[in-house]
Amino acid sequence: MDLFAQAKAQGIQTEFLDGQGHRRVTDAAALKIILDALPPQAPGPLVGHPVVVRSGRPSRTELPATARLPVEWKIVADSGLIAEGESSDHAIDWPRDLPHGVYRLQVSDASTAEDVPLISAPERAFGGEFDRCWLLAVQLYGVRSARNWGMGDFTDLARLIELADHLGADGVGLNPLHALFDDRPGDCSPYSPNSRLFLNALYIDVEKLPEFQPDPETSAALAPLRAGDVVDYVGVAGLKWRALRRAFAVFKANAKPARQQDFDNFRAERGALLSHFACFEALRRKFGKPWWEWPEAWRQPDDARCAALRQGADASEIEFVEFVQWTADRQLGAAADLAKQLGMKVGLYLDVAVGVQADGFDAWNEQVAISRHLGVGAPPDPLNTAGQTWGLAGFNAVGLELESFAPYRDMLRASMRHAGAIRLDHVLGLKRLYLVPQGFSARDGVYVQMPFEALLAVTAEESVANRCVVIGEDLGTVPEGFRDQIADWGIWSYLVMMFERDDAGSFRHIDHYLTNALVTFNTHDLSTYAGWRSFGDLELKRSLGIDPGESDDARWHALAMLDDVLRHHAIDRNDLYSVASFLARTRSRLLAISLEDLLGVVDQPNIPGTVNEHPNWRRRLPVPIEEMTSMVDVAALKAATHERSRAAL
């Protein structure tokens, strides 16, 4: 079988039309790397793909004419046999009363046997227990306060929840809180994580630890960190990690029984994943190089070796990693609990990155389901004529199926642990991923089909189990029927007013917006409202040598079109509160309003395509949280959002 036939058998699309209408055929050398990087498995001869059984709906699998009847089947879990049966025709009707879960399905006829996942899922994802409400969207790192150490932390998050409650919001939406690399604090993009299973320790409020030890040297260093306009991650990290290690030493020497018990409970809750992560971090510090260059014995996780490592000289370092994650988890959990106590209908709305760094924990821990050799990206299109490589490793279909979707389920559970809603970045990746081998340009990638329905079923199952709404970032062009299919599974859409315009540039009216959707004016990758109105985003991009993709005349036209749609709905002004009023009247059940917009910030958090040219993920808010209510026209905001607000006018 040649490379291209082999690729087709594995669901790899090597030929396609890009966004410019050009026919693309993957380079053979690139394709060989892609095939070598993916687990070698073609669909089986009987069922051929994961089976989904959906509550309340009949589920039948048609068998090929080549199947030698009768065909026997068994549904198996770790606990043993769940169900079994036999089919004497070329179809199997699956039981409707299966408990929700992911199982292995064993199917056989007289000549062959097959083993695939079977997912028994609820009919739809969790839909939320509210009509319409709104959220305060925040880049947590950028929050100033009189007490934080130069970047926002989980105590600031609690204050933000109180602020949101005062403003009438039902939750706070955050940039990803994923674990980054403690020894590379300057690599601060929340969308390029070490692990999506654990938390960024720099969000810890170290002074809140019972074991915290004040230090005159630290106190002297805090003033410039608090005063800066951008987050000095290197400076913050140096102080926080030193303080965390001192606190851990106090904990080890004299832990209060209740604290020790809670720490032990956390380690039991997170189980082998936490143990692996702690060992990985200790090994990463020890070897100081990517994991594929470590000694052979450590290039893959091994429970026996990890257990031995915990008994040796690295035991304290491993326990320190666990102590830090316990601290972060409990502080984030306390903020989520506060939102519940205040009666917020959503609480925390958390973002989930589309992939992970190849040299990080997730890629080391899940080498079957994640390949470090392949990066997620996008083919050339009119806005990015060279295509995009995001430098992130993503899941692959065969590996997920071999592991019964456990890596994906673990990621969802970690993300939903303290959240009332999550957003899956680039949700199209559940259907297909554009993968580019390392060392090649984005033009030499391939589309790899994912087990779409199975991933939707797993998402729905975890959503219901965790009572967490799931929003899919579905911006841009997606395949026909894609949005209908995710909506049928209860995955909400993500609607950005900036993009909701017709071919003539007119903004779409209120009745255009879907019910099960989160609606917002912009995103962290787009201009703030103040920047958009002032043309600040266009000026900045031009000053950086970036084509903004829009002329000044086009922007003037957009502003006129905004005025038109607002006036059509009897909104006479065009300030931020007018736009908020327009969006609040839509039937979309969630509305997000960014704190940057409420404070009139001109610069946007991130400019895609830049690294050091712009302070991406570093810009701090202009005023501390203690002064924010004085900077926001609270009466205007409450009037704009009164249709979905918790607070009385």
Side-chain angles (χ1 to χ4, degrees), residues 525-566:
D525 288 336
L526 299 172
S527 174
T528 62
Y529 187 70
W532 186 73
R533 287 211 69 88
S534 67
F535 295 55
D537 58 322
L538 304 183
E539 294 170 8
L540 177 59
K541 287 180 180 177
R542 289 172 188 143
S543 73
L544 297 174
I546 298 172
D547 180 359
E550 184 178 1
S551 67
D552 286 359
D553 285 345
R555 178 61 55 84
W556 282 116
H557 178 67
L559 292 172
M561 293 297 96
L562 178 65
D563 287 347
D564 283 352
V565 76
L566 293 176

Side-chain angles (χ1 to χ4, degrees), residues 386-399:
Q388 300 176 69
T389 54
W390 299 329
L392 300 171
F395 290 126
N396 69 74
V398 173

Side-chain angles (χ1 to χ4, degrees), residues 27-49:
D27 178 87
L31 182 58
K32 184 174 189 318
I33 294 173
I34 292 165
L35 288 169
D36 288 344
L38 296 174
Q41 182 175 334
L46 296 174
V47 176
H49 55 77

Side-chain angles (χ1 to χ4, degrees), residues 420-482:
I422 63 168
R423 187 192 81 141
L424 298 178
D425 195 26
H426 190 62
V427 73
L428 179 58
L430 299 186
K431 183 175 180 66
R432 68 184 189 190
L433 282 174
Y434 189 75
L435 299 180
V436 182
Q438 288 187 6
F440 284 80
S441 76
R443 299 175 184 274
D444 289 311
V446 295
Y447 275 116
V448 177
Q449 299 302 310
M450 299 293 283
F452 187 32
E453 189 178 28
L455 288 169
L456 290 174
V458 172
T459 304
E461 184 199 352
E462 293 299 331
S463 169
V464 168
N466 292 279
R467 301 182 64 76
C468 183
V469 172
V470 179
I471 297 145
E473 187 272 289
D474 55 348
L475 300 177
T477 303
V478 298
E480 185 177 353
F482 175 83

